[in-house]
Amino acid sequence: MSKNNNNSTFIVGMVFGGLLGTVAGILMAPRSGKETRQILKKSADALPEIAEDLSTTVQFQADRLSESAQTNWNDTLTRLKETVSAGLEASQREIQETSSPREMTVKSSSSPKPS
């Protein structure tokens, strides 16, 4: 019950504060009601154009970001392929270098020693 009472009090406070703010705004407005309505109408009329401009800008930025991400991904993928290739080559060289002395050791120890 306590939470419900707190929520109700909060809502009543919000409504009361909103009403007081509206009254204070009207009383202290620097323009007449007619001027304010004209400004609001012009602003409302300009909203579709502003929204279209914003949409175009967001689409442009998204495309640019996508291209940048694709370029970075391709660069990273190329470097990764080069690194893997270099690692494989180094691994092959290491295998060849380590297996060559062993073969020689195995061959020399299996050959008969002169008496």
Side-chain angles (χ1 to χ4, degrees):
M1 186 73 180
S2 173
K3 282 187 176 182
N4 193 15
N5 191 21
N6 287 339
N7 288 339
S8 298
T9 304
F10 179 75
I11 291 172
V12 168
M14 289 284 293
V15 171
F16 186 68
L19 289 173
L20 282 176
T22 302
V23 169
I26 290 171
L27 292 175
M28 301 180 102
R31 295 182 181 91
S32 69
K34 184 177 182 179
E35 289 178 75
T36 303
R37 284 190 298 276
Q38 287 175 347
I39 291 171
L40 288 174
K41 183 173 180 349
K42 286 180 183 178
S43 297
D45 291 343
L47 271 178
E49 186 178 326
I50 292 169
E52 185 178 339
D53 289 346
L54 181 62
S55 173
T56 302
T57 301
V58 167
Q59 183 64 42
F60 175 74
Q61 292 294 339
D63 290 345
R64 200 178 92 195
L65 182 62
S66 176
E67 289 173 10
S68 175
Q70 185 67 35
T71 300
N72 288 341
W73 173 253
N74 288 337
D75 291 346
T76 301
L77 192 58
T78 300
R79 287 195 319 264
L80 180 62
K81 286 178 182 179
E82 291 170 355
T83 302
V84 168
S85 177
L88 287 173
E89 289 174 10
S91 176
Q92 291 294 332
R93 280 194 308 269
E94 183 69 24
I95 289 171
Q96 288 174 353
E97 290 173 3
T98 56
S99 65
S100 295
R102 285 184 188 166
E103 289 176 4
M104 291 175 59
T105 306
V106 170
K107 287 181 184 176
S108 63
S109 63
S110 62
S111 61
K113 292 184 181 179
S115 329

